[in-house]
Amino acid sequence: MPLTYSILQSLSDGSFHSGETLAKAAGVTRAAVWKAIHCLQTDYALEIHSVHGRGYRLAQSIELLNRDAILQQLQRQSQLAGLETFLTIASTNRYLMQAPAHDITAPWVVLAEQQTAGRGRRGRVWHSPFAGNIYLSLLWRFQQINANFVGLSLVIGVVVCRLLSQLGIMQLGLKWPNDILCQGKKLSGVLIEMRGETHGPYDAVIGIGLNLMMPETGEREIDQPWIALSQMLPALPSRNTLAARLIDLLLEALPQFETHGLQPFLAEWRALDAFRDQAVVVHLGENRVHGIERGIDEQGALLVEVEGKQQRYYSGEISLRRR
Ligand code: BTN
């Protein structure tokens, strides 16, 4: 186990640990401990207090991701081909998109404490500070060539809302295709990337970011109103438990979607539609279309009333029109 990680594990309880105890436990010198502490402060932006005579402690205790703990809590573990957790990674989506098909088979899940190049939709950056949130990607293989990919986006939004409702979170909404909002602010985002051959099968890399606790520095770097679970719940649930529940819900919903399509999820999505009957702007590349959002059709396409006529959109993004 790398020294930085073993020291982080010792410090994760939020109590003081002397340099000497940390050094003894890891079988290294105190100078090596100091170096590791410095690395935790700079590379992972962790706030660590150093007090003469008492040692080091994290400003806040943290629960680190634990692969075994996640696997133990999974009810559908037998359905999963693999699960990996990383301390730091460029992007969990990128990792799965680039993984050689013979090394990694579907369904495969990757989670990380931190992403240094977290990807959002439309080329945006997904701010991914260390150990506070959930960054999860799942590789799913579709056997059908004609899978409905707009529908898939909507299903994932519904799955995340199911998870949040189980936690007692209210005032949830979905912004087409799959932004998860709470009190009108973004709580979770989904990025689905595809790879595959022309004649299938197709791999979908389903990436989900869920805000649990955003450090203040995050606030300045996110360009839209956001919210985190810590602002709604008196105590945060375990990240390992949350990850396990999310994986179980995905493994329940995806085979259902493959067999029955969007149908079993339509009513739920429509009930969560945050912009229904509101004046919206549809962003299609450089183009903007103004209209009234009228829900989704059976395939998941967005319906917008534009100058009295109903239009259908299979891609793009919407925002509320300011009056
Ligand atoms: C959005 O813009 O709303 C989509 C955000 C998706 C973020 C997640 S975090 C895990 C996965 N890895 C990435 O690089 N992006 C997705």
Side-chain angles (χ1 to χ4, degrees):
M1 188 191 303
L3 178 63
T4 343
Y5 186 67
S6 73
I7 293 204
L8 179 59
Q9 268 189 324
S10 307
L11 294 181
S12 63
D13 61 5
S15 321
F16 274 108
H17 297 262
S18 72
E20 199 179 337
T21 327
L22 292 170
K24 255 196 196 146
V28 296
T29 62
R30 285 175 64 175
V33 169
W34 182 87
K35 255 190 175 169
I37 298 273
H38 185 67
C39 163
L40 290 171
Q41 288 169 321
T42 51
D43 294 3
Y44 304 134
L46 285 169
E47 197 184 335
I48 299 176
H49 299 157
S50 162
V51 176
H52 188 68
R54 298 191 73 185
Y56 305 102
R57 78 157 183 209
L58 274 175
Q60 248 183 341
S61 63
I62 52 175
E63 183 209 14
L64 291 169
L65 290 174
N66 180 327
R67 182 177 178 272
D68 293 337
I70 299 172
L71 285 175
Q72 270 165 22
Q73 294 178 72
L74 271 182
Q75 283 167 13
R76 294 174 183 265
Q77 192 188 336
S78 60
Q79 276 174 250
L80 207 59
L83 173 82
E84 290 179 278
T85 53
F86 288 87
L87 207 52
T88 185
I89 198 168
S91 148
T92 52
N93 261 39
R94 182 159 107 186
Y95 175 77
L96 284 178
M97 285 296 285
Q98 292 178 349
H102 51 84
D103 284 352
I104 285 189
T105 48
W108 194 283
V109 170
V110 178
L111 284 141
E113 297 285 9
Q114 176 197 46
Q115 298 185 115
T116 52
R119 307 213 271 230
R121 291 184 69 226
R122 316 205 127 231
R124 293 195 192 103
V125 169
W126 188 256
H127 182 63
S128 310
F130 192 85
N133 304 310
I134 291 218
Y135 317 116
L136 175 149
S137 296
L138 181 146
L139 176 78
W140 186 261
R141 173 155 289 193
F142 285 95
Q143 297 305 333
Q144 300 155 289
I145 322 162
N146 57 348
N148 166 4
F149 296 117
V150 186
L152 174 63
S153 289
L154 305 194
V155 168
I156 304 305
V158 167
V159 165
V160 176
C161 285
R162 285 180 180 171
L163 173 78
L164 295 166
S165 309
Q166 286 179 7
L167 296 175
I169 303 292
M170 296 194 283
Q171 291 179 272
L172 287 170
L174 282 167
K175 182 180 112 173
W176 188 89
N178 54 19
D179 273 358
I180 294 96
L181 310 179
C182 182
Q183 300 168 18
K185 299 175 193 162
K186 189 146 164 177
L187 175 58
S188 173
V190 177
L191 173 70
I192 300 179
E193 297 180 274
M194 307 298 304
R195 61 171 211 185
E197 309 298 323
T198 328
H199 302 294
Y202 272 96
D203 285 343
V205 173
I206 301 165
I208 301 172
L210 173 61
N211 300 337
L212 266 72
M213 193 176 57
M214 240 355 147
E216 273 169 27
T217 49
E219 239 165 279
R220 290 191 292 273
E221 293 171 42
I222 304 175
D223 57 358
Q224 56 188 320
W226 60 272
I227 194 161
L229 286 184
S230 60
Q231 292 161 263
M232 288 169 278
L233 294 172
L236 277 177
S238 144
R239 269 192 315 147
N240 291 305
T241 306
L242 264 190
R245 280 203 207 162
L246 180 55
I247 297 166
D248 270 331
L249 288 168
L250 288 164
L251 294 176
E252 180 191 18
L254 286 164
Q256 214 184 359
F257 173 66
E258 275 214 278
T259 315
H260 305 288
L262 189 56
Q263 195 56 39
F265 305 90
L266 269 176
E268 243 172 303
W269 200 97
R270 285 176 173 147
L272 286 160
D273 186 348
F275 287 6
R276 176 78 208 211
D277 297 328
Q278 305 222 43
V280 293
V281 184
V282 186
H283 303 248
L284 301 158
E286 298 295 295
N287 296 331
R288 305 277 178 274
V289 180
H290 289 207
I292 311 288
E293 205 256 55
R294 296 294 188 207
I296 51 170
D297 72 6
E298 305 283 301
Q299 299 305 309
L302 181 74
L303 301 172
V304 181
E305 191 183 310
V306 183
E307 291 166 2
K309 278 199 187 137
Q310 192 149 283
Q311 307 286 358
R312 251 166 247 268
Y313 297 97
Y314 293 90
S315 64
E317 175 148 316
I318 51 171
S319 62
L320 271 187
R321 199 157 92 206
R322 289 179 222 284
R323 285 160 198 275

